[in-house]
Amino acid sequence: MQNENIIKGQGAQRNVINRFDKYTFEPEDEDFEPVKTTFTEVFPKTIVNQVKSEDLPMEYSMNPYQGCEHGCSYCFARPTHEYWGYSAGIDFERKIMVKKNAPELLEKFFRKRGYKPEPILLSGNTDCYQPAERQFEITRQLLQVCLDYRHPVNVLTKNAMVLRDLDIIKRMAEQNLVSVSLSIPTINEDLRRKMEPRTSSSKNKLKAVEILSENGIPVNVMVAPIIPGLNSDEPLAILKAISDVGAQSFGYTLVRLNDTVEPVFVKWIEDAFPDRAQKVLNLIRSMRGGKLGDKRIFERMKGEGNIAEMIHNTFKIGRKKYFDGKEFPKLSTDGFTGTREQQLRLF
């Protein structure tokens, strides 16, 4: 039975100590009231990040927002909020930083002398189509800049709001400049409401895959993360469902709870699923060498032990059964000239 005091619409049930704070305190009483989201404009000097991790496939990423309202307790980006002086807990979901100057920064990046275009991942850290995007429309502006400069972009989101920008995305797809990856870790709607409380419903995500595919836009689905004891029985059902609506490929990851993600997730699982919390945590430990997290390059993606191997084998079966012969296209950089115009750069 779920804890009756759990705050609905939030993954984090409390703030956790910022590991960079010199002084900390513990509140005496728990407040079980939902926290209102606030937005703060920040002024970064750059918007495109070079991805240096050897086990990540992208060269560049960009994130129009810092923090994420979607409320996934397992989100690997939570610890990044601590660099801003906030908590990886409730603060991460309710204190959102907004980069309104992102489109100008992107255009400046495209005009850099000697820049050689590579597809940029939008986002990669926090979701570019989180609820804040309805108000600020920064993601839409970034897509327009990419279209104007004929620069390829891979969109990654948990939100069917991506369909709002179908007009721009279709025009990009005609020039092989865009792909969309939708994150669908579960098609069990009751579980979805708890795992990722402010994302689009499973039904709406599948509908988004279908609509994007019907409009000639290549769609990948991230079945991520797989949490043993929660959604680890779903991969084959998910792969069939996404294949049926037109997805061309999929990826998946095994859950890992690094740094301050761990206390947020542990508190969430204990409140949301008290009857199986310890079982789930022990299954995660069995995949992570007795720990809940794993930072080892390459190894962190694979996990270890019988549970991890079983999950990998399930996805191998699903790939052969539902995605045999499907191929995901490579985006084009041929049209990029460093200007909005079509002429080639002279230098």
Side-chain angles (χ1 to χ4, degrees), residues 317-328:
I317 293 169
R319 188 180 302 278
K320 185 175 181 179
K321 187 170 184 179
Y322 300 116
F323 284 84
D324 191 35
K326 290 192 175 187
E327 187 173 348
F328 202 72

Side-chain angles (χ1 to χ4, degrees), residues 5 17 24 67 79 143 173 175 218 232 298 312 325:
N5 289 322
I17 294 172
T24 62
L143 289 173
Q175 302 178 57
S232 53
F298 297 109
H312 293 317

